[in-house]
Amino acid sequence: LEGNTSLLAIQALCNLGHSVVIWNCRIDPKPPIEDYDMAILWTGRPIDRSLFGNKPIGVVYLDDPEYWSSPNNEDKSNANTIEKVTEGYEKIFTNMKWGGFDENKYHWLPMGCSHHVHGKYSLTDDEKKIWGSDVVFIGTKRGKRGELLTAIAKKLNLSVSGVINIYN
C-alpha cells in the first residue's frame, strides 16, 4: 500500500459498505479470489487487466508522467508510461496533474494524510540537531512544489528542508 491515501480510500469504501480485499502483486502474482465489489490497483507498473475478469477495475497511477518524457529518464524502455500501465482500465486516477492533463481521461486523487500519522512532533534539542527541520521533503522540485512547501511551512510555523531535484 502506498502511503496513507490507500488506507483512507479503503476506510471510506468500507464505511460505504463495500467489500475491500488487499493484494500485493509483488508478493503474490495472482490477484485474490475472494468476492469483492471492485478492484483498484495502486501501482506504477503494468498489471494484466485480464487477471480480473469482468470486475470493475480502476488503477491509481503513481509515477510522474513528465518523468517518462524527460531526457534524464534512465529507463529508456518507457515500460511504465501512463499509457502502458493504464491500458484497458475503466477508471484512471493520478496523484498529480501535468502539462496536458486530460480531465476527461484521468481523475485527480490528491495524496491523503491522516492526523494519526502526520503531524508536528515536539523535538528535543538533540533531535533537532539530528533531523535539522520539522519536515523533510524528498522528491522532485518541479512546478510550484517549492512554493507550496514554503507556504505550508510559514503557515504552520515549521522548518522544511531536503527538497531534492532528481530530474528537470
Side-chain angles (χ1 to χ4, degrees):
L1 300 175
E2 280 296 319
N4 285 300
T5 303
S6 57
L7 298 175
L8 294 171
I10 290 167
Q11 181 181 14
L13 289 167
C14 288
N15 290 346
L16 291 170
H18 292 282
S19 59
V20 178
V21 177
I22 300 170
W23 169 52
N24 186 333
C25 64
R26 292 182 178 163
I27 295 172
D28 184 354
K30 294 182 181 178
I33 56 172
E34 293 92 348
D35 191 30
Y36 51 89
D37 299 330
M38 71 181 100
I40 301 174
L41 301 180
W42 226 273
T43 184
R45 306 294 174 258
I47 296 177
D48 184 5
R49 169 64 178 95
S50 67
L51 289 173
F52 300 91
N54 293 328
K55 293 247 185 214
I57 188 166
V59 62
V60 179
Y61 183 78
L62 298 172
D63 285 338
D64 183 343
E66 290 180 356
Y67 168 75
W68 296 103
S69 62
S70 167
N72 297 328
N73 170 12
E74 293 178 14
D75 180 356
K76 300 302 181 197
S77 71
N78 290 327
N80 299 319
T81 62
I82 192 165
E83 292 81 14
K84 290 187 180 185
V85 172
T86 62
E87 187 175 2
Y89 294 103
E90 287 81 1
K91 296 290 182 186
I92 303 167
F93 302 94
T94 67
N95 61 2
M96 62 191 76
K97 292 185 180 182
W98 57 90
F101 182 87
D102 183 349
E103 293 194 14
N104 295 316
K105 185 174 182 179
Y106 307 115
H107 306 278
W108 182 58
L109 179 69
M111 297 304 283
C113 63
S114 168
H115 69 279
H116 298 291
V117 176
H118 298 96
K120 186 174 181 179
Y121 291 91
S122 297
L123 301 176
T124 66
D125 288 339
D126 288 339
E127 289 171 329
K128 287 178 184 176
K129 289 177 188 172
I130 294 169
W131 300 110
S133 348
D134 299 308
V135 177
V136 176
F137 173 82
I138 299 173
T140 58
K141 185 180 178 184
R142 69 173 182 83
K144 296 187 177 185
R145 287 183 178 177
E147 293 173 30
L148 174 65
L149 289 171
T150 301
I152 291 170
K154 185 176 180 180
K155 184 166 183 83
L156 298 177
N157 194 28
L158 299 171
S159 59
V160 179
S161 66
V163 176
I164 298 172
N165 190 7
I166 58 173
Y167 63 88
N168 295 326

